[in-house]
Amino acid sequence: MKSISLYVDKGTLLNRIAPESKIMYIITAITVPALLGNRLAGAGFIVLSVLLLLSGKVLRKTIPLLSVSGFVLLTVLIIQGMFRAGNTVPLFSIGPVIFYREGTSFAMSIVINVINILLSFCVLILTTKPSDMIENFIRRGFSPRFGYVFISVFQIIPQMTETMSTIADAQRSRGMETEGNLWVRIKAFIPLISPVIMSSLINTKERALALEVRGFNSKHKKTFLNDERKTSADPYLQIILLIGILATIGWRVFVWLA
Amino acid sequence: MKSKLWSFKFNTVTLVLIPAAIGINYLGKLFAGVLKLPLWLDSIGTVLAAVLAGPIVGAICGAANNIIYGLTMDPISTVYALTNLGIGIVAGILAYKGFMKNIKGAIITALVVGLVAVVISTPLNIILWEGTTGNVWGDALYAWAIAHNLPVWLSSFLDELVVDLPDKIAVVVIVFLICKGLPKSLISLYQRDEKIENLD
């Protein structure tokens, strides 16, 4: 079964350090440039994320994640470059289309901001197994029942995708058209989705029974199947990142007061 | 007997409904892609869970859905967890008030849900993208609007409205049709009645 997570275990340092440290890194990479209000800070964090991803041997894996937002970034660049209010100084032109300096520069800060967010998230999601991360949250006091909810999503989605292809084949063999004009395709949606929904709702009943039989609602302290992911460097990393954020907040407050 | 609107009691069946709803959201988006429909249809599960099990479960489904997407495929979608949370709450409240009983009520629900989604998404779009959505039609309207010197928030609102409202109408109508066809024994699983009647 194909997993929806893009995580791969390459045995690198990034794989070994605690998910919490990587989450702290995301928070730092987003808040510090926002507080400084400086594009260079954002660009700096992009470079840092790229270096981290290189060290984790997962830089190539960021391409599908970047391409999801790449299209939107392109439209931002086109629309702000051409139409932003206050555009006066032409930068360059392609045929009859003129891109202005103000709009393009403004769009570039959006692009830097978004790519920074994307890459810092990549540092976490490409190197961390989702269930490891959730188990760590449960160790910190997150409800184990909700932890189960999150972990089971990663098992249910591949299962449902399989059911979906079975149903699509079954309905096609009964003569349903899935190609053609818009109306034909809209009509195909309901007979495709409703059997999956029905079967998954019926499954919830069975799953609930199976869980309750195995002591899902038990109030006793639960044990963990896997060992905790952490290294001795983690506490220091987290403290350094926290100091970084606090220092920037302090600087911001100082600038406001001055 | 009416069940409580803001019931906080999670029995196992309602908890298990949450991952199923997230799966349904995912499949809706997948099917819409396979059939090349011009809509997202990625909140069917959230609305369905809200209708079946109330606003709190709907809200959790919506938020958890986007957080999980964010942690696997599309980090930016984490930000829109707020939008889906709003959709879950509103759909849950309206369904509780009995709006999902007939098609007229379902359309009203769809309009309200769509409007809530637009109102929550617009500020997020402005913060993140200065107002565009990445949808060709919506962005063309946005470009036209700011070229005519409309304020950014209004252009962005229109952009999101054109994209989101038809999508939410389709989603709520699909959920309405599916709920019509669900067997009673399944619906009663999720109802939050606290009183159990005994026959002996």
Side-chain angles (χ1 to χ4, degrees), chain B residues 14-192:
Chain B
T14 11
L15 268 183
V16 179
L17 178 65
I18 297 172
I22 296 173
I24 294 169
N25 282 345
Y26 178 79
L27 285 189
K29 196 176 182 172
L30 207 62
F31 273 131
V34 169
L35 295 172
K36 300 189 198 74
L37 300 181
L39 302 166
W40 298 315
L41 302 177
D42 60 351
S43 43
I44 297 177
T46 309
V47 175
L48 187 68
V51 170
L52 288 176
I56 303 238
V57 175
I60 295 174
C61 281
N65 175 64
N66 279 45
I67 291 170
I68 286 173
Y69 272 131
L71 292 178
T72 48
M73 290 166 280
D74 179 15
I76 296 295
S77 83
T78 319
V79 179
Y80 294 94
L82 274 179
T83 310
N84 255 342
L85 192 137
I87 292 172
I89 290 180
V90 173
I93 293 174
L94 288 176
Y96 179 80
K97 299 273 180 216
F99 276 91
M100 289 295 277
K101 291 239 158 54
N102 51 42
I103 186 72
K104 217 172 83 190
I107 303 263
I108 295 172
T109 313
L111 293 174
V112 177
V113 167
L115 212 61
V116 166
V118 173
V119 168
I120 303 177
S121 294
T122 305
L124 298 176
N125 286 340
I126 293 177
I127 294 168
L128 211 57
W129 312 99
E130 190 63 15
T132 50
T133 54
N135 176 292
V136 180
W137 302 109
D139 284 350
L141 183 67
Y142 177 87
W144 176 85
I146 57 167
H148 284 74
N149 287 323
L150 287 179
V152 168
W153 64 267
L154 187 61
S155 319
S156 180
F157 182 81
L158 292 174
D159 183 341
E160 185 71 29
L161 192 73
V162 177
V163 182
D164 231 353
L165 204 59
D167 181 60
K168 293 302 168 293
I169 292 175
V171 164
V172 176
V173 170
I174 289 168
V175 170
F176 171 75
L177 292 176
I178 287 167
C179 281
K180 279 271 154 205
L182 282 181
K184 277 256 165 58
S185 63
L186 212 54
I187 296 175
S188 66
L189 273 181
Y190 308 106
Q191 272 169 1
R192 292 137 290 151

Side-chain angles (χ1 to χ4, degrees), chain A residues 6 8 10 14 52-63 122-123 126-127:
Chain A
L6 293 169
V8 273
K10 302 249 173 160
L14 271 186
L52 284 171
L53 289 165
L54 261 179
S55 81
K57 300 179 190 160
V58 283
L59 191 60
R60 281 233 330 247
K61 289 234 155 200
T62 58
I63 294 167
C122 283
V123 171
L126 296 177
T127 62

